[in-house]
Amino acid sequence: MSEARQRIRARFRKGERVRHISHLDVLRYWERAIRRAELPLLYSQGFTPHPKIAFAAPLPLGFIGEGEIMEVLLEERVTLEAFAAVLSAQTTPDLELREGSEVPLGLPALPTLLRWADYRLALDGVTPEHATESVNAFLATETFPWRQEREGKKAREYDLRTGVTSISIDAREGRTAIDARLSCGQELTVRPEQLVAALFPTATVERYVRVGLVLEEPSAALQAWREKGQYE
């Protein structure tokens, strides 16, 4: 039975022309690209083997991603230079590899390391002055109860303020853009659409861009705290 010999964390982009393809299509794209590159991709055992490719978080349909993260398990070791060279030769600018790094095999699963997502939102229907006023008022509050209505599902209630680390306004040539860092962890995930609905209910979003994802870097001390409730 094959075992993982190497775990490579890769950052990639999903561009404008492919922003409406599904997450499953993205997975298939990378699996085919890795196979064409003849990299030793590890597969699960059983009647229906699955490629050992993990994503930090699926990108919502219609979003552009400039700093998406996936991890690939290989059953044989390769150099990072070879990984990047042969894989980049099989991709397009619409879904392209940005960089790759090796991480320890024993790290927790990639989705459990995800903490924050950085977004840029281009808004229509709101002036920079009005946007600044709304953002300042929001940041000045300690709590911001929010109710998210979900079609066919129970409404979700949470404190929107705790899920927002920072927001800033970028006004150029009369246009308004919002840069925001939102919670994207297992405890709380804030969607940018909800932030817009709460702060700019009359605005429309021209484009959603997930600029990057922020992972927690595990440490021995943090692991001890989680397991035993104290540092060693």
Side-chain angles (χ1 to χ4, degrees), residues 115-117 162-165 181-185 187-191:
R115 290 296 175 265
W116 306 96
T162 63
V164 180
T165 296
R181 173 164 287 188
L182 308 180
S183 175
C184 199
E187 293 80 13
L188 174 63
T189 293
V190 174
R191 292 282 297 261

Side-chain angles (χ1 to χ4, degrees), residues 29-49:
Y29 170 89
W30 284 111
E31 180 187 4
R32 289 194 296 266
I34 292 169
R35 291 174 62 184
R36 288 196 304 268
E38 299 183 348
L39 290 165
L41 177 62
L42 181 67
Y43 282 82
S44 63
Q45 303 297 310
F47 291 106
T48 55

Side-chain angles (χ1 to χ4, degrees), residues 214-225:
V214 181
L215 305 179
E216 174 187 289
E217 296 300 334
S219 66
L222 179 60
Q223 187 66 22
W225 176 265

Side-chain angles (χ1 to χ4, degrees), residues 159-232:
D159 180 7
L160 183 63
R161 182 65 186 86
T162 63
V164 180
T165 296
S166 62
I167 315 177
S168 61
I169 309 297
D170 185 356
R172 300 179 186 179
E173 299 178 356
R175 305 296 298 275
T176 303
I178 305 297
D179 291 301
R181 173 164 287 188
L182 308 180
S183 175
C184 199
Q186 294 185 311
E187 293 80 13
L188 174 63
T189 293
V190 174
R191 292 282 297 261
E193 303 96 315
Q194 297 303 306
L195 182 68
V196 172
L199 271 62
F200 317 107
T202 62
T204 57
V205 180
E206 176 186 333
R207 183 178 291 104
Y208 286 99
V209 180
R210 190 155 74 183
V211 180
L213 297 169
V214 181
L215 305 179
E216 174 187 289
E217 296 300 334
S219 66
L222 179 60
Q223 187 66 22
W225 176 265
R226 287 180 168 172
E227 293 177 355
K228 302 179 182 179
Q230 61 185 8
Y231 287 110
E232 293 183 337

Side-chain angles (χ1 to χ4, degrees), residues 62-74:
F63 282 42
I64 294 171
E66 295 294 348
E68 300 303 292
I69 304 176
M70 66 176 177
E71 286 186 348
V72 179
L73 291 182
L74 302 179

